[in-house]
């Protein structure tokens, strides 16, 4: 028997489940379809982010950082440990518990907001006028009819040609989060967010980590000054990062993986690893949606084609998150999901792509919002900068982590903040002040004039804003 809804959301990742909740808050009848399964076969909403991405990686990053501090930093605080051992099984179990708590939290939110949840795979059966029939396949088969459909099916990891993921020796982010033992030699192809974060986790736990990156520069999307500092700090930590490499033949044996590659000078090299993580990007997940049958348009890269409002070429069909253009970030997906729900309800949802923050949860953390210096130079925009090192911040000294700095970039004439870049402790939290400031088109002077608590890491943000006008007080 068919069921009718105002909105049907396909996918319960960050963009999908938030879109469903917001639409329900606005008085619409909503269903959400998702096929992620937990180890018992039950529903596990939250998508890649909750199950094999943002949440479990942060759990392991935190655990591995504690382990690293216990082995190297606690003595400086007067905490002496006679012996230190790793219980990886318990660490992974904690990570799984954190994931389940988030899965259960989303199911609770669906119930609280009266969102009907279907555990299965959703696909278009037919589209007629402004109505759409969606077929659900899973433990049971059902059909629902929607006035509006929001596609939020996310993305999947990109594999190397001729070297598929087996999640035993050749790992995607899924396998990288679940290795049952610490490999002695860990290879990573790709020095992006996933490569650096997973490399950090397993390096702290005892692995020898080599990261092979095709691009000639580390973190090309980040501000050059930040990327240069990050490279120095990662090298000091023991991450062996080779840039400008060209991957050749890869041989997967019974117990190891051998990679032949050319280094930045063109010299042929060979490396052997116990495990290999491949993190060369992600591709939109449109498999199984039955897009061709209903005429849903994809662009030349396989993303669902949408306009600036996330509308597809089909009436009342929308798409958000990793499956459409723009940065593949969970919080970008959430904002698009909210905006689409509000547009469906007749409101004016809005997403400002220029104030979407980027974060890499290594140690030190790296975060930025807005333009980099190199982007402004290319655009021939006149600007001024101010930086402040955490070395001169009292709270950072007390924490025992004085790495990195805060950098402000402001318009040379108007002083409007054009970008803020942070590498250092809790950069992921500190960047929010910059996001708020830029959303309201604040000047660096505005931040410089705001009272910040002392002692706090946020004072480094204020001092960097002061430094734009060359009047930092503590450096």
């Amino acid at each position: 028997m068919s069921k009718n809804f105002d909105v049907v959301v396909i996918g319960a990742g960050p963009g999908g489940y938030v879109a469903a909740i917001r639409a329900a808050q606005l008085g619409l009848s909503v269903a959400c379809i998702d096929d992620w399964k937990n180890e018992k076969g039950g529903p596990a909403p939250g998508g890649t982010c909750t199950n094999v991405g943002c949440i479990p990686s942060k759990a392991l990053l935190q655990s591995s950082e504690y382990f690293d501090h216990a082995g190297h930093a606690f003595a400086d605080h007067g905490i002496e440990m006679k012996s230190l051992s790793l219980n990886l099984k318990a660490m992974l179990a904690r990570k799984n518990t954190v994931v389940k708590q988030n899965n259960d939290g989303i199911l609770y939110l669906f119930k609280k907001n009266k969102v009907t949840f279907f555990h299965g795979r959703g696909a278009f059966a037919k589209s007629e006028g402004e109505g759409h029939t969606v077929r659900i396949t899973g433990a049971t088969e059902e059909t629902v009819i929607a006035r509006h459909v929001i596609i939020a099916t996310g993305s999947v990891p990109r594999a190397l040609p001729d070297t598929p993921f087996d999640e035993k020796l050749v790992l995607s982010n899924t396998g990288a989060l679940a290795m049952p033992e610490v490999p002695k030699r860990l290879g990573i192809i790709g020095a992006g967010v996933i490569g650096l974060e997973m490399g950090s986790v397993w390096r702290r736990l005892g692995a020898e980590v080599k990261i092979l990156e095709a691009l000639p520069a580390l973190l090309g999307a980040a501000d050059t000054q930040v990327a240069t500092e990050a490279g120095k700090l990662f090298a000091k930590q023991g991450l062996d990062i080779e840039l400008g490499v060209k991957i050749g033949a890869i041989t997967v044996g019974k117990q190891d993986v051998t990679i032949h590659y050319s280094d930045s000078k063109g010299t042929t090299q060979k490396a052997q690893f116990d495990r290999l993580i491949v993190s060369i990007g992600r591709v939109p997940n449109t498999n199984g949606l039955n897009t061709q049958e209903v005429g849903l348009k994809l662009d030349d890269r396989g993303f669902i084609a949408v306009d600036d409002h996330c509308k597809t070429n089909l009436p009342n069909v929308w798409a958000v998150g990793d499956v459409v253009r723009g940065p593949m970030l969970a919080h970008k997906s959430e904002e698009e999901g909210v905006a689409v729900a509000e547009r469906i309800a007749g409101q004016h949802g809005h997403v400002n792509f220029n104030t979407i923050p980027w974060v890499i949860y290594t140690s030190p953390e790296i975060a930025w919002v807005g333009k980099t210096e190199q982007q402004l130079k290319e655009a021939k925009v006149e600007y001024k900068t101010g930086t402040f090192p955490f070395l001169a911040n009292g709270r950072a000294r007390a924490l025992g982590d004085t790495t990195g700095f805060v950098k402000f970039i402001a318009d040379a004439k108007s002083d409007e903040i054009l970008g803020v870049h942070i590498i250092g402790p809790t950069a992921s939290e500190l960047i929010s002040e910059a996001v708020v400031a830029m959303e309201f088109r604040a000047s660096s002077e505005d931040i410089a004039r705001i009272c910040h608590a002392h002692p706090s890491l946020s004072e480094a943000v204020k001092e960097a804003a002061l430094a734009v006008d060359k009047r930092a007080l503590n450096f």
Side-chain angles (χ1 to χ4, degrees), residues 61-62 65-66 68-69 72-74 76-77 203-204 229 233-234 236-237 360-366 388-406 422-428 430 456-458 460:
L61 280 160
Q62 189 64 64
E65 188 166 0
Y66 284 151
D68 192 59
H69 285 176
H72 300 96
F74 278 8
D76 291 340
H77 292 266
R203 193 277 308 166
R204 293 169 188 166
E229 181 72 7
L233 293 169
F234 292 149
K236 186 176 180 180
Q237 291 171 6
I360 304 173
Y361 294 87
T362 48
S363 182
E365 290 185 349
I366 301 168
F388 186 83
F390 283 103
L391 183 67
N393 177 267
R395 183 67 189 279
R397 293 189 191 118
L399 288 173
D401 186 355
T402 57
T403 55
F405 55 84
V406 180
I422 307 174
I423 177 170
T426 69
S428 59
L430 296 175
S456 69
L457 296 172
S458 69

Side-chain angles (χ1 to χ4, degrees), residues 11-12 16 91 144 315 327 356 367:
M91 188 179 288
V144 295
I356 294 175

Side-chain angles (χ1 to χ4, degrees), residues 383-425:
Y383 64 89
K384 52 187 176 179
T385 66
T387 60
F388 186 83
F390 283 103
L391 183 67
N393 177 267
R395 183 67 189 279
R397 293 189 191 118
L399 288 173
D401 186 355
T402 57
T403 55
F405 55 84
V406 180
K407 176 179 180 177
F408 266 67
I409 308 176
D411 186 272
K413 296 178 181 178
S414 69
D415 194 39
E416 180 180 348
I417 300 168
L418 302 177
V420 177
H421 307 267
I422 307 174
I423 177 170

